[in-house]
Amino acid sequence: MLLRSIRGMVLLVRIVPVVSWSFCAILLSIGFAVHDLKGLSSIPWQVVGSLFAGALLLQGVVAHAFNDHTDWKSGTDQKSPGILSGGSKVIPKGLYSERHLLLIGLAGIAASAGLGKYLSHLTSNYAWIFIAIGIWAAVTYTAAPFRFAYFPLVGEWLAAFPAMIACTLGTYFVLTGSLSKPVVWASIIHSLLCIAWLMQHHTSDIDADLQATPRKVTTVAFAASIWGKEVTRHITAAYFLMAAFVGIVATLSVHKIFIFSVFCGLMGALAAWNTNPHNIGNITYNQVKMIALTVLHTLVLFGFEVIT
């Protein structure tokens, strides 16, 4: 029983999106904080540990537990042909039931709140603002009655985007007690890169999502239902181009290091345009490239800030 629960939790967490989204957001801000505080020795590592634990709880446990529960009930996960999509597979593998997932999600919220209390004690009560946004996003993305991911544009703009902004800015704030212009620009770019490859991720499940009850009308599913799947490449590319545009503005107004953000945005758009939306293997191949670009973007900016 214990081994089955541990195996289920490992699958549920889905470490790739957690690392490329939340962990990268935290690492990005640590780099800026190290630069602004003049060295690694100024970083309170117990706070950093709490931040990573909170991100793992909110995205890996709470968001994914509710996501698996809702998507299984609607039927989209059963029909998904995706390689990286279609949920964590904990229900069909018999590791957790729908009820277990609800309880895990609620327990994750309670644990996150407890961690938030500890973090606010170490830093500032303002930390609760960022924690509250994280809880909001983790719950509303797929949990009833919200199910933001089931509506075009709503899931990414009212849940995913604010979550990544809060994770990035919240990390910098609790480490430094302030906010800075460069980290604000970096948070926007990172959030857009994450949303961009989320669109690619959803492309694999368009048919399954549109057959779900209720229908999961993601942004790409909505576009495909009207104009066909070919147009979905342009939606993913559009988000990458938004990141590139913000990178251009940041390069001109803040620092030339953001030219790398432009590069990542353009390369992501190119991967989107080169995607065959009818081929699951090709969708997945290009999604992996997009995830790698998102991680690379973080590592380069982090390294630059720490070194300089």
Side-chain angles (χ1 to χ4, degrees), residues 193-241:
L193 291 174
C194 290
I195 289 177
W197 78 251
L198 177 64
M199 296 301 102
Q200 183 81 359
H201 180 79
H202 284 161
T203 302
S204 296
D205 290 339
I206 288 173
D207 293 332
D209 287 344
L210 293 177
Q211 294 173 45
T213 306
R215 294 172 86 213
K216 187 175 182 180
V217 190
T218 61
T219 304
V220 290
F222 174 77
S225 69
I226 298 176
W227 298 293
K229 286 186 180 180
E230 292 299 325
V231 78
T232 59
R233 295 181 296 183
H234 304 301
I235 294 172
T236 303
Y239 277 115
F240 275 115
L241 291 176

